[in-house]
Amino acid sequence: MHARQRTFVRDAVVATVVFGGLYVLALSTSFQSLQIPGYLVLAGFGVLEEIIAVEFAGATSSILFVAYVLVLGLTGAAVASLVRGRAWVPDSGLAWVRPGVAGALAVVVALSTLLAVSFFLTTS
């Protein structure tokens, strides 16, 4: 396996863990400010579930949510590799976890932007 592929897989695993952690944090804390990123992940899944999987329920919905989180993790890894490939981030001995976390947080920002735009367009 090439170093670039190992890096992508590592970033995908880190980003997926970040999304899982945001989900658990949203469910387990009562401090509302910490619930917001996890809520954005759940809101994105709700929109996706409405569009694609209206007929799914129960266990199938859980499987679909896990697949959704995995796709978000892969998207976060793609963002991290794009940033790394464009040399926007200098190679100065960054911790191995930072690019995956940054990619995951970039996806959360994109989800929040899409949610804000949808609220803006659908409400009066």
Side-chain angles (χ1 to χ4, degrees), residues 36-83:
I36 293 172
Y39 169 74
L40 293 171
V41 172
L42 289 171
F45 177 69
V47 170
L48 180 69
E49 194 173 33
E50 272 186 37
I51 294 171
I52 295 175
V54 174
E55 69 276 358
F56 291 130
T60 308
S61 181
S62 298
I63 292 169
L64 188 62
F65 181 73
V66 169
Y68 168 73
V69 170
L70 290 174
V71 168
L72 286 179
L74 291 173
T75 305
V79 169
S81 78
L82 176 72
V83 170

Side-chain angles (χ1 to χ4, degrees), residues 5-53:
Q5 290 172 335
R6 281 193 303 257
T7 302
F8 183 82
V9 170
R10 180 191 66 211
D11 290 343
V13 168
V14 169
T16 303
V17 167
V18 167
F19 286 118
L22 290 175
Y23 173 71
V24 169
L25 187 63
L27 295 179
S28 64
T29 186
S30 61
F31 187 59
Q32 290 183 352
S33 295
L34 292 178
Q35 292 176 339
I36 293 172
Y39 169 74
L40 293 171
V41 172
L42 289 171
F45 177 69
V47 170
L48 180 69
E49 194 173 33
E50 272 186 37
I51 294 171
I52 295 175

